[in-house]
Amino acid sequence: MDHPIGFLCKVFVAGVVSTFTMTLFVDLLSRLFSDRFYVPSILGKTLNLKSPGFNTGFGTAIHYAIGICFAATFYYLWFHFPDWANWWGVLLAGAICGGLAVIVWRLVLYAYPGVLVKDKGVYLFSIFCGHLVFGLTAWLIWQWVVRQ
């Protein structure tokens, strides 16, 4: 077993890299449609803050903190239940997190109708798929970490 600080560093890196990959995927997917979905900015706008720069910065911090928590949850699951550390387990974990994210975002979009995104369906679909990408990225990093 890794030293706890070393393990926390790996979880931190996995959370940041996986969140970045997911955010990039959602951004690229949104370019296929006419509406840009930059999740940290949208997250910041939900806070109704006055400064757009602060919205994006604070939204980014929250977004990455949630990603680190998801990575920690995944790593806990994969460490204690190694049978889940396979393609199907990873996709299931990503789908569960994606489903939770869709529920939360649906509530947020209901509270801010027509303000945050134009096409809610496309946005929610991209959020769900983004969490699958998050799970796969975290798992690939896990595979690399386990082999170290």
Side-chain angles (χ1 to χ4, degrees), residues 43-92:
L43 182 60
K45 285 179 188 176
T46 63
L47 303 172
N48 259 346
L49 301 173
K50 301 298 180 200
S51 168
F54 189 73
N55 281 344
T56 302
F58 194 64
T60 299
I62 291 171
H63 187 59
Y64 278 85
I66 292 168
I68 292 166
C69 290
F70 274 156
T73 303
F74 286 6
Y75 280 22
Y76 178 86
L77 177 72
W78 297 333
F79 183 79
H80 291 286
F81 305 97
D83 291 342
W84 280 74
N86 59 45
W87 286 102
W88 297 112
V90 167
L91 289 175
L92 180 61

Side-chain angles (χ1 to χ4, degrees), residues 35-49:
D35 202 2
R36 287 253 349 243
F37 304 138
Y38 186 63
V39 178
S41 178
I42 295 169
L43 182 60
K45 285 179 188 176
T46 63
L47 303 172
N48 259 346
L49 301 173

Side-chain angles (χ1 to χ4, degrees), residues 98 101-103 105-106 109 119-129:
V102 165
I103 290 168
W105 275 111
R106 191 169 194 151
L109 295 174
D119 190 341
K120 293 176 186 174
V122 171
Y123 180 70
L124 295 174
F125 175 75
S126 66
I127 290 296
F128 180 81
C129 292

Side-chain angles (χ1 to χ4, degrees), residues 124-140:
L124 295 174
F125 175 75
S126 66
I127 290 296
F128 180 81
C129 292
H131 283 83
L132 296 176
V133 170
F134 178 94
L136 289 170
T137 304
W139 181 69
L140 290 171

